[in-house]
Amino acid sequence: MSDRLTQLQNAIDQLAVQFYSAMHYLDTHHDFVPLDHEAKVSDPQVAVDDPAVFEATKLELARDIMIKTRQIDLLIASLPGAGVSEQDQLARVRKLEQQLSDAETERQHWLARQNELLQKCDSVILQLAQRKTEIETARDPAV
Amino acid sequence: MDDQSAALASAFPPPPSFYKAYTADATNALANALASSELPPNDLACLLPPSPPDAGSGPDDRPATYRSLGHKWSTKDILPTLKDLGIPELFSNASSDEAGSDPSYRVSELKQLTKSLIIKYLELVGVMGISPEQFPERVEEIRIILINMHHLLNEYRPHQARESLIIMMEEQLERKHAQISKAKHACEHMESVLASLDTITSADPTQNGSDIKESQSVEGERTRSIDSLRQNSHASSVLGKQAKDGDLLVWDALAPKS
């Protein structure tokens, strides 16, 4: 998933391609209209579509172009950070930087405290284990 | 020379013609020539790397260019304005490059350009039906509108980059806060466990052992010290069982932390 700007760029490119393909379809699939008293011309390059099909395809192409345009409009409207000036952004970045470094200090503090407690815990466990052995040997000197 | 520039301009240029010249003999000779501060002889000069392109000292100087992979690149990364490219600007470009400009103008400009684009296309289709020979004009207009749109988008990129940076920093901050609260919680839990252990280990041994009634209650067993357990361990089997229970309690208390 690319960012919105790239999506918008791609959508615009696709719209241009649609322009071309719609034109190309009209050029290569249209029917001919005979002039007065003349035979209807034909062109081997043109594959004449059935009028109904031709109309339907035309409608579809037009609809596709409109949908793409709506998509572009939507993407433009949802561009990130519209209405925020560069100064605002930089101020926000600086504030976040400060907050991040504050949070980092706090994090280090708590990590140190955690280690401290862990060591304490270790010593308590060792102490208890030692006493447990003492109790067991005292209770049952034979073992 | 033409041969060489053609080779440089191709997308996948062949290795330069002089790549075979870097023999041990030639490089030694070059080093000797340089050490004796003479100008290296002509046949060795091509072994010296060329000086880097001049970046231009003044702010208004056009930065130097270099060739790579078939394209000309500027040593300074700048987005050339449409004027530089000889394409008419269709948007009001009063403050596009200045810091602090309101980027929202691009949004409205883009919307207008999209509408113009559709109308121009409609015109083109109409013209094709009536007088097809007039098409180049419309196609050119569409081309210019598209280029303008892309230019506006590219101008928008730094803005979006800053915006993404802000979002990333916010996420990072959130992660750190979550870590801190987790660490805090763990510390508090550990402290409470250690404190309850303290009360077990530091309880007065004389209070226990003799008073069996109290040691039968849960509270009594909790405060029973291990020292006293050791003292009483030689006594009756009932006491021995209680001592065992006391041990279990201590291990239960430790279990969530270990």
Side-chain angles (χ1 to χ4, degrees):
Chain A
M1 184 76 170
S2 51
D3 57 292
R4 295 239 175 81
L5 219 44
T6 311
Q7 283 179 40
L8 181 52
Q9 237 164 15
N10 290 340
I12 291 172
D13 286 348
Q14 284 161 6
L15 182 65
V17 171
Q18 282 182 358
F19 282 174
Y20 167 76
S21 26
M23 197 63 98
H24 183 75
Y25 176 80
L26 290 183
D27 184 37
T28 51
H29 291 86
H30 65 85
D31 200 358
F32 295 94
V33 180
L35 293 172
D36 288 340
H37 315 299
E38 276 181 37
K40 193 167 152 183
V41 288
S42 69
D43 187 338
Q45 304 266 317
V46 175
V48 179
D49 262 358
D50 185 68
V53 175
F54 186 67
E55 281 303 316
T57 317
K58 236 169 37 178
L59 201 68
E60 200 190 320
L61 284 168
R63 194 175 289 136
D64 282 354
I65 286 176
M66 284 329 286
I67 287 173
K68 196 46 96 179
T69 318
R70 292 283 288 278
Q71 218 175 49
I72 289 173
D73 265 346
L74 203 71
L75 279 169
I76 291 172
S78 64
L79 279 179
V84 184
S85 79
E86 192 178 335
Q87 254 106 32
D88 291 348
Q89 287 181 318
L90 290 180
R92 180 110 180 82
V93 167
R94 268 188 216 106
K95 203 174 138 211
L96 280 169
E97 213 177 343
Q98 184 58 41
Q99 281 178 338
L100 271 177
S101 75
D102 287 352
E104 179 61 26
T105 333
E106 205 186 335
R107 196 174 75 96
Q108 290 301 337
H109 166 77
W110 282 108
L111 283 181
R113 178 95 186 104
Q114 236 180 347
N115 274 333
E116 202 180 291
L117 283 171
L118 200 64
Q119 273 167 9
K120 220 166 143 190
C121 216
D122 277 351
S123 69
V124 167
I125 290 170
L126 280 175
Q127 225 177 325
L128 283 172
Q130 210 175 355
R131 285 191 187 186
K132 192 177 179 245
T133 350
E134 281 171 21
I135 292 168
E136 272 165 5
T137 40
R139 193 192 301 154
D140 193 0
V143 176
Chain B
M1 209 57 203
D2 272 351
D3 223 27
Q4 203 185 350
S5 57
L8 281 177
S10 80
F12 298 102
S17 53
F18 48 81
Y19 78 100
K20 283 181 183 160
Y22 289 86
T23 56
D25 284 349
T27 44
N28 281 340
L30 181 70
N32 286 338
L34 286 177
S36 57
S37 72
E38 283 169 25
L39 275 176
N42 269 345
D43 55 328
L44 295 179
C46 63
L47 298 188
L48 284 175
S51 53
D54 185 15
S57 46
D60 295 331
D61 284 354
R62 286 193 75 81
T65 56
Y66 62 95
R67 271 185 170 284
S68 177
L69 299 175
H71 282 286
K72 242 182 163 175
W73 303 91
S74 161
T75 44
K76 217 170 120 195
D77 262 341
I78 45 162
L79 183 64
T81 60
L82 288 182
K83 241 175 256 163
D84 292 346
L85 298 173
I87 287 156
E89 277 178 345
L90 299 179
F91 48 90
S92 58
N93 196 12
S95 56
S96 62
D97 288 334
E98 283 146 37
S101 70
D102 184 12
S104 57
Y105 85 94
R106 291 195 193 107
V107 171
S108 54
E109 294 288 352
L110 274 174
K111 279 193 173 163
Q112 285 173 23
L113 283 175
T114 317
K115 296 209 171 63
S116 319
L117 190 62
I118 286 293
I119 289 168
K120 286 288 167 207
Y121 183 66
L122 202 61
E123 271 181 34
L124 174 66
V125 176
V127 152
M128 289 302 277
I130 301 163
S131 53
E133 68 279 0
Q134 281 181 23
F135 83 90
E137 203 182 307
R138 315 271 179 238
V139 171
E140 180 65 15
E141 278 167 359
I142 289 177
R143 190 177 85 93
I144 284 171
I145 290 175
L146 284 173
I147 290 174
N148 269 279
M149 289 182 91
H150 275 287
H151 185 74
L152 272 174
L153 286 184
N154 283 332
E155 272 188 355
Y156 206 99
R157 290 236 172 238
H159 189 79
Q160 156 149 320
R162 284 191 291 269
E163 201 65 27
S164 319
L165 179 66
I166 286 175
I167 289 169
M168 275 159 74
M169 286 175 94
E170 274 167 353
E171 278 170 1
Q172 214 175 358
L173 197 61
E174 217 167 275
R175 260 205 317 276
K176 269 196 182 151
H177 279 314
Q179 251 176 351
I180 286 171
S181 74
K182 223 169 154 187
K184 233 185 209 168
H185 191 75
C187 282
E188 275 159 13
H189 184 68
M190 232 194 263
E191 267 162 358
S192 72
V193 169
L194 283 174
S196 71
L197 278 180
D198 273 350
T199 55
I200 293 174
T201 49
S202 66
D204 189 0
T206 57
Q207 264 190 356
N208 302 295
S210 54
D211 191 352
I212 295 175
K213 246 187 204 168
E214 198 197 315
S215 66
Q216 274 170 338
S217 71
V218 178
E219 191 61 35
E221 278 189 41
R222 263 222 170 269
T223 52
R224 172 181 290 268
S225 87
I226 291 181
D227 282 337
S228 75
L229 292 179
R230 183 171 51 173
Q231 280 173 6
N232 295 332
S233 56
H234 62 274
S236 67
S237 63
V238 181
L239 264 180
K241 189 179 177 293
Q242 278 166 352
K244 225 174 170 182
D245 287 349
D247 275 352
L248 282 176
L249 258 181
V250 171
W251 293 113
D252 281 350
L254 275 173
K257 243 16 252 172
S258 54

